[in-house]
Amino acid sequence: MKKLILVRHAKSDWPEETEDFDRPLADKGLEEAMHMSRFMKNNNVAIDYFVSSPAVRALNTCKIFNQSYHINITTNEKLYNPSEKNFESVIYDLDDNVNSVAFFSHNNGISNFANSISEDIFHFPTCGVAGFEIDCNSWSEFDGAKKRLIFFYDPGKIK
């Protein structure tokens, strides 16, 4: 059994003269990410590995989560402006020693991908997190494996 956790980057800012890729987190986003990462860690959400979009707002969200988790982070360009196939491609590249992985990415791609693997239709708010149980022993079996939503956390609704 594998676990796939999808995290939409926290609330970002868009200062003038800033390219989309370089947008920083807003103060609210910094707070959201700290709150969500502590909530997940305190609720024993185990994660072995983080893969982030290299865009500043996603990578900074990932780095804030890593203040709670202290695990390896890699970036993958495929998680920036992603299609559903991009997510699958990153999944197929995972080492089978990784049992639980979190991807830090962007809308609309992250919502579209989550909805493509789940009957539960939802739209990710900033710093929203969805966890899926994937009934497989190898990430190469992802496509045909049974997938089940095990949690969905909205930062505005957690204590």
Side-chain angles (χ1 to χ4, degrees):
M1 199 64 80
K2 303 284 189 190
K3 284 198 176 67
L4 173 65
I5 297 162
L6 302 176
V7 184
R8 183 180 173 199
H9 66 77
K11 181 87 177 136
S12 59
D13 204 355
W14 203 326
E16 284 186 50
E17 311 288 319
T18 303
E19 295 292 324
D20 179 71
F21 187 89
D22 297 320
R23 290 171 51 203
L25 291 177
D27 289 345
K28 180 181 182 200
L30 295 169
E31 290 171 23
E32 278 177 344
M34 284 188 281
H35 182 62
M36 182 62 78
S37 63
R38 287 185 192 131
F39 173 83
M40 289 175 60
K41 188 71 172 172
N42 292 339
N43 283 280
N44 300 312
V45 176
I47 305 173
D48 301 331
Y49 192 58
F50 287 153
V51 184
S52 178
S53 155
V56 170
R57 61 196 181 275
L59 187 54
N60 284 346
T61 301
C62 181
K63 286 176 179 175
I64 291 168
F65 270 65
N66 209 29
Q67 291 172 8
S68 295
Y69 280 89
H70 310 287
I71 58 178
N72 288 332
I73 296 174
T74 60
T75 59
N76 192 311
E77 300 259 336
K78 294 174 186 170
L79 295 180
Y80 179 64
N81 286 333
S83 69
E84 287 115 72
K85 292 290 178 217
N86 288 46
F87 283 97
E88 290 176 7
S89 174
V90 177
I91 287 167
Y92 292 131
D93 286 344
L94 291 170
D95 188 293
D96 284 333
N97 292 328
V98 173
N99 289 311
S100 180
V101 64
F103 288 173
F104 293 78
S105 191
H106 310 262
N107 254 348
N108 291 322
I110 200 165
S111 289
N112 292 343
F113 177 67
N115 287 314
S116 78
I117 63 171
S118 173
E119 305 279 317
D120 306 274
I121 303 297
F122 48 82
H123 180 77
F124 276 76
T126 52
C127 213
V129 181
F132 296 90
E133 203 169 63
I134 315 299
D135 190 4
C136 65
N137 295 313
S138 168
W139 291 107
S140 65
E141 302 166 347
F142 178 82
D143 191 39
K146 186 173 183 213
K147 300 156 190 80
R148 183 173 70 89
L149 179 70
I150 49 177
F151 61 78
F152 183 72
Y153 299 137
D154 180 328
K157 296 180 179 155
I158 61 171
K159 300 289 178 213

